[in-house]
Amino acid sequence: ADATGNRYWFCAFCVNQHASICGTFPHPPPTCSAEFARCDASRHDSVTSEPLPCCTCGAPKYLNEAPDLCELNKFDDMMEILSYSIPGFRHLVAVDRSFNTFTRLWCVAELVQAHLSSIPQSVCLLSDAVLDVDNADLSIYIKLANLRVAECS
């Protein structure tokens, strides 16, 4: 099969989403609210606009009410432990062509935690041409200049 158009996300911390958030979507806000469009968009594939399926794995879900079993609450600690225990540990951020990396809450959380843990960070771009000062298309610049954590997905 041709995989050249596929995109993969590799999380070195390997949070098992089947043990936490894979089985449902959060309840949407009222349809008349400003938040509804953003919530509804997060329930659809950003490329095809098809509704995303919910996972039917049936695995038990552990969130903050079961802190020892929850994997989501250990992210910051793991980054800090790795930064102290592995000489030369670095954070490499591979940024997609549309810079959507910076609109994903988990990605922003990684960036912040790496900074707070004094982990050296490197950013890898497909091309930095969209950031050139002479670029006629300012859409990426405007997108990055107007980022808001409250609007992350």
Side-chain angles (χ1 to χ4, degrees), residues 31-47:
T31 55
C32 58
S33 70
E35 295 84 21
F36 180 79
R38 188 167 48 92
C39 178
D40 190 53
S42 72
R43 296 171 180 235
H44 292 81
D45 185 289
S46 61
V47 175

Side-chain angles (χ1 to χ4, degrees), residues 16-25 53-61 63:
N16 179 2
Q17 293 186 7
H18 291 286
S20 56
I21 60 172
C22 74
T24 187
F25 291 108
C54 285
C55 181
T56 59
C57 71
K61 308 299 182 232
L63 298 171

Side-chain angles (χ1 to χ4, degrees), residues 31-143:
T31 55
C32 58
S33 70
E35 295 84 21
F36 180 79
R38 188 167 48 92
C39 178
D40 190 53
S42 72
R43 296 171 180 235
H44 292 81
D45 185 289
S46 61
V47 175
T48 67
S49 297
E50 293 291 319
L52 296 170
C54 285
C55 181
T56 59
C57 71
K61 308 299 182 232
Y62 301 107
L63 298 171
N64 287 332
E65 71 277 357
D68 290 344
L69 298 173
C70 179
E71 293 187 21
L72 301 176
N73 61 357
K74 295 166 181 61
F75 176 79
D76 298 347
D77 294 335
M78 283 305 303
M79 284 188 77
E80 190 166 355
I81 287 168
L82 289 170
S83 73
Y84 286 115
S85 61
I86 299 174
F89 184 75
R90 299 185 57 80
H91 185 218
L92 173 63
V93 183
V95 180
D96 62 291
R97 118 181 29 240
S98 300
F99 288 71
N100 288 329
T101 301
F102 302 107
T103 67
R104 304 292 304 178
L105 196 53
W106 281 106
C107 296
V108 173
E110 279 187 27
L111 292 165
V112 170
Q113 187 56 45
H115 174 74
L116 293 174
S117 298
S118 300
I119 298 171
Q121 295 174 295
S122 298
V123 176
C124 181
L125 306 175
L126 178 68
S127 168
D128 61 359
V130 297
L131 301 175
D132 283 345
V133 82
D134 296 329
N135 192 333
D137 180 5
L138 295 177
S139 61
I140 295 294
Y141 173 81
I142 292 167
K143 177 180 188 172

